[in-house]
Amino acid sequence: MAAKGRIEIDAEHCKGCELCVTVCPQDVIHMSDTFNAKGYHPAELVDPQNECTGCAVCAVICPDAMITVFRQITPRVAVAA
């Protein structure tokens, strides 16, 4: 099965701890260049190639539960030999 996913990060409440960046196996989470209202650089999804699998490791490690994960699993089609 192939998994595709995406995440949403609550940028206004993210404190910029960078834990999610360190654990993302696809390396699609980066710190924003902009500041949120609290003065932190929030994490953001940067995934132009749609490489996020929705594995949820980032959401598990986020100490403030600011990451929502959406995952779609599609069965692989068997090719006749």
Side-chain angles (χ1 to χ4, degrees), residues 6-64:
R6 68 180 175 85
I7 62 169
E8 289 182 2
I9 300 169
D10 184 348
E12 283 307 310
H13 293 99
C14 174
K15 63 184 179 187
C17 69
E18 299 186 34
L19 290 174
C20 57
V21 175
T22 66
V23 298
C24 179
Q26 303 303 324
D27 195 32
V28 294
I29 304 174
H30 301 276
M31 301 311 291
S32 175
D33 292 332
T34 61
F35 294 98
N36 62 17
K38 294 183 178 186
Y40 298 114
H41 289 282
E44 64 182 358
L45 177 67
V46 180
D47 191 13
Q49 303 293 330
N50 295 318
E51 295 175 350
C52 179
T53 62
C55 69
V57 175
C58 58
V60 170
I61 202 164
C62 181
D64 299 315

